[in-house]
Amino acid sequence: MNLRFILFPKWLRRRWSVATFSLCLILVLLLGGGNSVLFAFADESRISNSVESVSLTKNARRTRLANGLTILTKEVHTAPIVTVQVWYKVGSRNEAPGVNGIAHQLEHMLFKGTKDRPIQFGRLFSALGSDSNAFTSYDMTAYFGTVERNKLKALMEIEADRMKNSVIDDKKLESEKRVVISELQGYENGPGYRLSRAVKRDAFPNHPYGLTVGGTKADVEKFTPEQVKSYYNRFYSPDNATLVIVGDFETEATLKAAKDIFGKIPKHQSSTSEKLGNTIPKLETTIKPPLEGKVKPPIVLKEPGSAALLEAVYPAPDVNNPDVPALDVMNYILTEGRNSRLYEPLIESGLASGIDGGVANLISGGWAEFSATATPGKKLPDIDGAILQTIETLQTKGVTLEEVNRAKAQLTASAILGNRDINSQAQQLGNDQTVTGDYQFTDKYLAGVQKVTPADVKRVANKYLKPSLRTVGYFEPTQISGKPGSQATNSSQTSESFNAGPPVDPAEVAKYLPKIDSETVSSTQSLPQTFELKNGLKVLLLKDTSTPTVSLSGYIQAGTEFDAAEKSGLASLTADNLTNGTKTRDALTIAKILADRGAQLGASANREGVSIGGRALARDLPILVDVLADLTQNAIFPTQELELSRQRALTSLKLELDNPGRVGRRTFQQQVYPKNHPFYNFPTEASLKAISREDLVNFYQQHYAPNNMTLAIAGDFSPKQVRSLLESKFGSWKKTTQTSSSTLPEVKLPAKTVRLNPTLPGKTQSISILGYQGISRRDPQFYPALVMNDMLGGSTLSSRLGSEIRDRLGLTYGIYSVFATGRYPGPFFIQMQTAPEDAQKAVDSTINVLKQIRSQGFSVEEINAAKSSLASSYNVEIADPDALISTILSNQVYGLSKEEIRDFSRKIQEVTPEQVNQATKDLLHPDNLVIVTVGPPLS
């Protein structure tokens, strides 16, 4: 549970680019469909009408307390959980050089304890089973947690406590400054971050939006407790905050509780705290576009890296400007998907391997942004020229009604699909209220999108995308080999001896927990309807009418386990090329049909299979299924498209080999697993170039078969009709008689600890990974191992490792441990990010924690607390529709019963202390570790 900058769903991010610094897993948008779908739902008109009339703020209510606190409530009774969020109208917009990053530093400090609760708040959240986190952005700082409904008041009491009583002293601040600097230096590892920072600084030199959200190392190092406390007193006031509560509660009773808890907090008195404000240099409060005239030359960064990057920024209006909907439609037409204006001149031409764009509209202004990654050997000025020419063509010739309608469909569907879980719904309400002052803004925005015309798009393109207004930056790598530095073992390096601090006493945590309502939260999770087609395709259906949407999650046993070493990357290239054409549809046709409906469908290969993910409005499920059926049965892998895909894969490989985390995992697995094990293999330049079209066709014919596939669908549909649809679309697919299975070699523990240190020039942080092979999902010790791992490193803010390495020693921004279980035993590993000079101390301290746990075990109280936390957090997790359907699918793939979705929490609670401590002895091997640390060369 790391503190981080948040990245909202794409449709929301494009309006209020909350931050650009989060890591996220992005589905490859692979699939589209044809126009000849013959199947329709009997109740499609009901679903269609519900989509057209949907209101994302329906049932939401705003209340304002006497102290100025705004409260937004929205009852959602789909699961017995509730989310509580507190949004403060303060971010990097309220900073200046010298105090850049103070809002982010303060966010970190609010987890360090209060006068009445002098304890790491992450431990309190863990004890509640809360999915809790926080983020800082340009215009706001927000704290959020999701819990079972009987813990609602407890969560409110914790948030109210830190709104008023947080302790900021020298010791805590110095420790947390090291953590923040580690976080910031981690971002410095990414060339894209460094380029974006340079471009924004140049585009907005006199506005705080030109500052980085997280701040700078130089400023953070100088923060004093007095500065941070002054900032806290000035901005953390109820009249500058919005409390958002969404979920399974009764409004009147909850409002009464909120008034009792928050109503007694006094609002800020201006006479007490203008001290900090008087020390901040005055910057512009509104973005002013530069005077029209000469076009600025590109900013050029020549630094270590692996791929050439481009970023261009144009000033844009604030969020309440009436041009915002048209700007978003324009952006979708230019950048969204295969049918976008920039795809052909950049991607299809082979100039670039990736293109993206967005419009950020914030309180004081915003920007339109375009970014691209060059294909190896291609020049950034050529890419820049193609972008400018495409924009100029749009400005002079305009856009078609078809393009505008497609963008409207994408924006509308993305908004609805991004609002299905209660956390997302609360984020939308909190963001709207904080940034625009109107919690119903999104409904009005979507209505505005529907009114956009082709003339509006042409007008805003001419108004805002003038060449004289833009700032463009080029990142030109000075190290372009795409290979990490040589590996060196440091077995001769001495290890320091660090004593691990005492474990956290669960009784100490319980002492500071607010009272939890005595209600026992119980709900019976609906079980999926399961059946198998005659050709062996396994199906799980779960009806959910809470929103007019559907989620699809699929699995095909066609993963990288079947890659030969000399053709490593074959499974991934096959999955990546599914959408490049079928027997009856070309790539553009495939992409167009999904885009016209705002539907999403993606596939990617991993170590044990191909994962398929799709989301759509419920009325479009027949199209989603039709396209998936076509791609799994009729893909033809055109040669030209394969070559472009290969180039993108080679670019991705270069980027991967410049990423410390990815290099670390590759090095780690190739040390843990023998060369004849499929988990050893990773794509190389040679293996990707060796793959032929014939290889893809043969792989597809051998492994893509109905008896190798499992499909799970959840949402607003009739199971009977969907079964008929699936039989119609997949029933004639012939099963394979070839066996898709692997015989894996034995994997042994290292005889002694092995240390490897690949080097990557130009990096500012190191990534360390420690571990060995772990267990499979069906291992008898799976549940005890899960409880043990939760205490060891399941959460950075509440685990033994987090308490020691992050909180006590201040050596890392984040540390976690995981058993990567699956059909086969995956690795057990611990991963952390540190300053290069701290890596050895952090690794040795981690080993000492492992030794302490292995020799002393865990107490009964600690184990019981972990079981309670895991069971509660599981119930919170599966309330998310996408997480629910993914879990249902995984259970099927792993050979578990469909009742596992109900039984998981009970099985966790039944784990005994004896089983946990036995698993600790059986599964923790501190003297037999593979340790990989990747970072810059140490002088």
Side-chain angles (χ1 to χ4, degrees):
M1 188 168 57
N2 295 339
L3 298 170
R4 59 183 173 86
F5 300 132
I6 195 169
L7 191 64
F8 279 137
K10 195 170 189 178
W11 73 274
L12 189 57
R13 185 170 82 246
R14 298 211 169 190
R15 286 187 287 128
W16 308 297
S17 184
V18 182
T20 56
F21 312 119
S22 287
L23 298 177
C24 65
L25 180 62
I26 302 174
L27 282 177
V28 181
L29 292 182
L30 293 173
L31 313 175
N35 291 307
S36 58
V37 178
L38 301 179
F39 189 96
F41 287 133
D43 58 351
E44 184 175 320
S45 61
R46 175 191 67 78
I47 295 172
S48 177
N49 290 335
S50 68
V51 169
E52 298 303 328
S53 61
V54 70
S55 168
L56 300 183
T57 60
K58 185 180 180 181
N59 300 326
R61 174 176 166 182
R62 179 167 55 190
T63 304
R64 190 163 278 122
L65 302 188
N67 61 4
L69 179 69
T70 298
I71 303 176
L72 301 176
T73 54
K74 182 180 180 183
E75 293 185 29
V76 180
H77 300 289
T78 54
I81 63 169
V82 63
T83 189
V84 175
Q85 304 185 359
V86 181
W87 292 65
Y88 296 93
K89 192 174 181 179
V90 58
S92 59
R93 182 178 66 91
N94 306 96
E95 298 173 353
V99 289
N100 184 203
I102 198 166
H104 177 231
Q105 181 71 61
L106 180 54
E107 171 216 318
H108 276 245
M109 296 307 298
L110 260 71
F111 283 81
K112 302 294 284 184
T114 64
K115 298 172 186 175
D116 296 329
R117 294 183 173 91
I119 189 172
Q120 163 61 257
F121 269 37
R123 293 169 195 152
L124 299 178
F125 295 133
S126 178
L128 293 174
S130 175
D131 179 11
S132 295
N133 215 319
F135 69 86
T136 301
S137 185
Y138 298 99
D139 291 337
M140 81 286 286
T141 305
Y143 303 81
F144 51 96
T146 304
V147 292
E148 293 164 315
R149 67 184 175 211
N150 65 322
K151 298 165 184 172
L152 168 58
K153 290 181 183 177
L155 204 52
M156 285 197 290
E157 286 188 30
I158 291 173
E159 290 297 347
D161 189 21
R162 65 176 171 180
M163 179 184 284
K164 180 184 178 184
N165 301 313
S166 289
V167 174
I168 300 165
D169 58 28
D170 282 316
K171 183 178 180 181
K172 290 181 178 180
L173 180 60
E174 285 306 309
S175 172
E176 201 63 22
K177 278 163 61 173
R178 292 192 66 184
V179 170
V180 168
I181 289 169
S182 173
E183 177 183 359
L184 298 179
Q185 295 294 93
Y187 300 137
E188 293 284 342
N189 278 351
Y193 171 82
R194 304 198 298 270
L195 176 63
S196 180
R197 177 181 57 196
V199 171
K200 296 289 195 318
R201 281 178 178 173
D202 192 76
F204 312 119
N206 299 310
H207 194 281
Y209 288 161
L211 304 173
T212 55
V213 170
T216 66
K217 179 182 178 183
D219 281 3
V220 170
E221 286 176 332
K222 293 183 290 188
F223 290 157
T224 66
E226 291 71 30
Q227 281 182 308
V228 180
K229 281 188 283 191
S230 181
Y231 212 81
Y232 174 60
N233 292 332
R234 183 180 181 191
F235 292 106
Y236 278 62
S237 175
D239 57 334
N240 195 46
T242 298
L243 169 66
V244 188
I245 307 169
V246 177
D248 190 21
F249 61 89
E250 197 278 316
T251 299
E252 294 303 328
T254 299
L255 281 175
K256 182 180 183 304
K259 291 174 184 176
D260 292 341
I261 294 169
F262 287 90
K264 57 193 175 185
I265 301 174
K267 62 182 176 181
H268 161 67
Q269 298 298 317
S270 59
S271 60
T272 63
S273 69
E274 302 313 346
K275 175 173 164 186
L276 176 66
N278 293 334
T279 68
I280 297 179
K282 297 296 183 184
L283 296 181
E284 294 174 357
T285 56
T286 302
I287 288 178
K288 296 177 181 177
L291 295 175
E292 290 187 46
K294 214 161 121 186
V295 175
K296 291 193 292 185
I299 299 163
V300 180
L301 297 186
K302 294 185 177 182
E303 299 174 357
S306 58
L309 309 173
L310 176 148
E311 180 170 324
V313 166
Y314 300 78
D318 67 81
V319 66
N320 284 307
N321 190 289
D323 285 341
V324 166
L327 279 166
D328 280 342
V329 171
M330 175 202 74
N331 177 71
Y332 266 61
I333 290 171
L334 282 169
T335 67
E336 185 64 23
R338 201 163 200 155
N339 294 101
S340 66
R341 289 286 185 98
L342 285 169
Y343 193 89
E344 183 176 352
L346 291 178
I347 306 300
E348 292 289 351
S349 70
L351 275 177
S353 64
I355 174 72
D356 197 9
V359 181
N361 304 106
L362 310 175
I363 290 176
S364 301
W367 55 87
E369 183 174 28
F370 301 93
S371 60
T373 302
T375 300
K378 302 300 181 182
K379 303 299 183 183
L380 290 174
D382 294 338
I383 294 173
D384 200 9
I387 293 173
L388 288 170
Q389 182 59 55
T390 301
I391 292 173
E392 183 182 353
T393 301
L394 187 152
Q395 290 170 324
T396 56
K397 297 183 178 179
V399 297
T400 66
L401 182 61
E402 180 186 16
E403 288 177 303
V404 171
N405 287 338
R406 180 183 303 129
K408 289 179 181 180
Q410 290 173 306
L411 280 162
T412 302
S414 293
I416 296 171
L417 291 167
N419 245 260
R420 296 183 302 161
D421 64 281
I422 64 171
N423 184 56
S424 297
Q425 293 175 47
Q427 284 186 349
Q428 174 227 307
L429 292 171
N431 193 89
D432 282 359
Q433 178 64 37
T434 304
V435 178
T436 74
D438 181 2
Y439 74 97
Q440 296 178 315
F441 176 84
T442 293
D443 285 340
K444 298 169 185 176
Y445 162 81
L446 291 175
V449 166
Q450 294 306 315
K451 296 176 183 176
V452 173
T453 67
D456 291 328
V457 174
K458 183 178 179 182
R459 175 180 59 79
V460 297
N462 279 286
K463 181 177 180 180
Y464 296 104
L465 300 187
K466 295 176 181 178
S468 60
L469 299 180
R470 81 173 192 148
T471 303
V472 64
Y474 298 167
F475 179 88
E476 297 179 352
T478 57
Q479 174 196 342
I480 57 174
S481 66
K483 297 177 182 179
S486 60
Q487 297 181 7
T489 61
N490 64 343
S491 54
S492 61
Q493 182 174 340
T494 59
S495 295
E496 299 180 65
S497 178
F498 300 104
N499 294 320
V504 177
D505 184 359
E508 185 76 4
V509 177
K511 183 168 69 174
Y512 298 116
L513 271 179
K515 183 181 178 182
I516 297 172
D517 289 348
S518 57
E519 171 202 6
T520 300
V521 177
S522 63
S523 82
T524 303
Q525 170 63 52
S526 299
L527 296 179
Q529 176 184 331
T530 62
F531 58 90
E532 187 172 311
L533 302 186
K534 292 180 180 178
N535 56 13
L537 193 153
K538 292 174 276 295
V539 180
L540 303 98
L541 301 179
L542 187 65
K543 185 174 181 178
D544 174 9
T545 60
S546 60
T547 63
T549 64
V550 290
S551 293
L552 179 151
S553 188
Y555 165 86
I556 302 174
Q557 195 173 341
T560 60
E561 65 176 294
F562 299 112
D563 283 355
E566 67 275 10
K567 298 287 178 77
S568 185
L570 175 58
S572 292
L573 270 183
T574 304
D576 292 345
N577 279 270
L578 288 176
T579 55
N580 285 335
T582 67
K583 295 174 182 177
T584 57
R585 295 164 173 157
D586 62 20
L588 285 177
T589 302
I590 290 170
K592 179 177 178 294
I593 290 197
L594 279 186
D596 284 348
R597 292 156 178 84
Q600 304 165 5
L601 194 58
S604 61
N606 55 53
R607 62 193 175 110
E608 292 190 346
V610 170
S611 297
I612 300 166
R615 303 194 302 174
L617 301 179
R619 66 188 181 192
D620 297 323
L621 178 58
I623 292 168
L624 207 62
V625 170
D626 179 76
V627 174
L628 179 60
D630 193 19
L631 297 178
T632 52
Q633 298 172 66
N634 302 311
I636 59 172
F637 307 102
T639 300
Q640 182 178 353
E641 298 289 353
L642 169 59
E643 291 311 311
L644 289 171
S645 178
R646 190 198 312 275
Q647 283 301 316
R648 291 194 291 273
L650 288 167
T651 303
S652 295
L653 177 62
K654 284 182 174 292
L655 293 169
E656 180 176 317
L657 294 178
D658 189 49
N659 181 303
R662 301 300 294 272
V663 171
R665 284 297 301 276
R666 177 183 287 240
T667 306
F668 171 77
Q669 287 198 200
Q670 290 187 332
Q671 184 65 37
V672 169
Y673 294 99
K675 288 186 177 181
N676 59 342
H677 195 290
F679 294 177
Y680 178 93
N681 293 330
F682 286 84
T684 64
E685 183 177 349
S687 71
L688 288 172
K689 289 181 176 179
I691 297 168
S692 67
R693 177 184 177 276
E694 184 180 7
D695 292 327
L696 267 70
V697 171
N698 290 338
F699 189 91
Y700 178 74
Q701 291 175 345
Q702 179 177 353
H703 298 290
Y704 282 68
N707 47 321
N708 287 338
M709 183 172 178
T710 304
L711 192 60
I713 305 174
D716 189 6
F717 55 76
S718 160
K720 181 178 179 181
Q721 290 178 345
V722 172
R723 179 167 186 161
S724 297
L725 171 65
L726 295 173
E727 289 173 342
S728 168
K729 297 300 178 182
F730 290 97
S732 61
W733 192 8
K734 303 290 187 201
K735 68 166 64 176
T736 181
T737 57
Q738 301 182 54
T739 302
S740 282
S741 60
S742 301
T743 302
L744 304 187
E746 181 184 4
V747 179
K748 297 180 179 179
L749 279 173
K752 60 181 180 180
T753 291
V754 177
R755 295 178 184 252
L756 302 170
N757 294 86
T759 58
L760 288 177
K763 304 306 175 186
T764 56
Q765 288 277 286
S766 293
I767 299 294
S768 294
I769 302 173
L770 306 78
Y772 37 77
Q773 178 173 259
I775 59 176
S776 71
R777 175 60 178 85
R778 298 193 68 180
D779 190 284
Q781 289 189 305
F782 172 79
Y783 298 100
L786 206 59
V787 176
M788 181 263 287
N789 186 71
D790 185 71
M791 296 178 286
L792 170 64
S795 164
T796 290
L797 297 185
S798 62
S799 65
R800 290 276 192 100
L801 288 173
S803 298
E804 178 71 6
I805 313 302
R806 185 191 191 278
D807 288 347
R808 193 173 82 87
L809 299 176
L811 296 175
T812 181
Y813 163 57
I815 182 169
Y816 65 92
S817 62
V818 64
F819 283 93
T821 61
R823 290 168 46 238
Y824 307 120
F828 163 75
F829 64 93
I830 298 166
Q831 184 165 327
M832 70 187 105
Q833 170 186 304
T834 66
E837 63 272 18
D838 290 337
Q840 185 65 49
K841 180 177 179 180
V843 166
D844 291 338
S845 299
T846 297
I847 293 172
N848 278 324
V849 172
L850 293 175
K851 289 180 177 179
Q852 180 191 68
I853 291 173
R854 197 173 192 278
S855 64
Q856 298 176 12
F858 295 98
S859 69
V860 172
E861 293 78 13
E862 199 174 358
I863 291 169
N864 287 338
K867 292 195 300 181
S868 176
S869 176
L870 278 171
S872 295
S873 60
Y874 176 78
N875 294 333
V876 168
E877 179 183 353
I878 63 172
D880 183 311
D882 288 331
L884 174 62
I885 199 63
S886 177
T887 302
I888 288 172
L889 175 72
S890 296
N891 290 342
Q892 175 69 33
V893 170
Y894 297 148
L896 307 172
S897 73
K898 67 178 182 180
E899 286 79 16
E900 176 68 13
I901 197 75
R902 287 180 179 171
D903 295 343
F904 179 89
S905 293
R906 174 183 58 79
K907 291 179 180 179
I908 288 292
Q909 293 287 15
E910 290 175 351
V911 170
T912 67
E914 292 75 19
Q915 289 173 319
V916 172
N917 286 319
Q918 185 60 50
T920 299
K921 293 185 180 299
D922 293 344
L923 301 177
L924 291 187
H925 305 287
D927 296 321
N928 308 92
L929 293 163
V930 171
I931 302 172
V932 178
T933 297
V934 185
L938 289 177
S939 57

